[in-house]
Amino acid sequence: MKVPDYHPVEAGLRLEYQLRRSGGAWTLTLEYTDVRREGERVLAKLRRVWKGPDGEQTSVETVEKRPDGVYHAGRMVLPHPPVRGKSWDHPPRQYRLEGLDGATTVPAGAYKGCARVSYLIAGGDAGSGERLYAPGVGLVYEACREESDPYETRLLRISRIPA
């Protein structure tokens, strides 16, 4: 049985999110460019564009899809294969794949069969959160209950960058 791709890394893929924080609402756009294969790895540039009350900010990082998972700027975001109970750390956060049964409805649509990733911040002392990754789409929802700056991220739309 083929394992669903919970974090596609595809040239031209554009994901647009709504991010709500106590300081206001932002949009976050993620765009995958310069995608290339090197052996078993897929490498890409991920351009992030934040637009909100404080103006616009842009950053670029490397995304790498390896046989054991997807990494942003060298840090694992999602393991592969997605196995319930798999855990990994990026201090101060500790992540755990809770299951493949998540479901949510966001502006971009209704999603089920999502990979559910929970996390603790500083062992839970500074908060916690959950992310949902939909098959064939990627991140569709995140609720971060960080004590100092909680936020919610919801997928607004999926599109393709014209070649």
Side-chain angles (χ1 to χ4, degrees):
M1 183 171 137
K2 185 177 178 191
V3 176
D5 188 353
Y6 291 98
H7 194 302
V9 177
E10 301 170 359
L13 178 61
R14 175 187 280 161
L15 303 169
E16 187 177 338
Y17 298 91
Q18 176 186 62
L19 179 68
R20 292 192 181 275
R21 294 189 116 109
S22 59
W26 282 259
T27 59
L28 168 62
T29 303
L30 304 179
E31 299 174 344
Y32 290 92
T33 63
D34 302 324
V35 178
R36 67 187 189 283
R37 180 170 288 283
E38 290 184 1
E40 293 184 322
R41 301 179 315 153
V42 175
L43 299 166
K45 296 292 181 193
L46 178 62
R47 182 173 181 256
R48 295 175 184 265
V49 180
W50 300 84
K51 294 179 184 176
D54 299 333
E56 181 175 312
Q57 297 177 346
T58 302
S59 66
V60 177
E61 66 185 56
T62 300
V63 173
E64 186 176 357
K65 194 169 218 175
R66 304 177 194 166
D68 69 334
V70 178
Y71 294 77
H72 287 210
R75 301 179 96 180
M76 182 183 282
V77 174
L78 195 63
H80 185 83
V83 176
R84 185 174 189 264
K86 171 74 174 170
S87 61
W88 63 102
D89 293 342
H90 294 301
R93 292 185 180 191
Q94 300 86 41
Y95 295 89
R96 177 181 165 87
L97 182 61
E98 299 293 343
L100 304 175
D101 58 352
T104 189
T105 299
V106 294
Y111 298 94
K112 60 183 182 176
C114 297
R116 289 185 305 113
V117 174
S118 67
Y119 56 89
L120 297 176
I121 304 167
D125 290 344
S128 63
E130 182 176 64
R131 294 177 178 165
L132 296 176
Y133 293 86
V137 177
L139 180 68
V140 292
Y141 179 78
E142 179 176 10
C144 178
R145 295 171 292 282
E146 183 176 10
E147 288 181 4
S148 64
D149 190 16
Y151 61 89
E152 180 181 61
T153 304
R154 299 163 27 118
L155 183 64
L156 293 173
R157 67 186 56 84
I158 304 165
S159 61
R160 297 279 173 193
I161 303 167

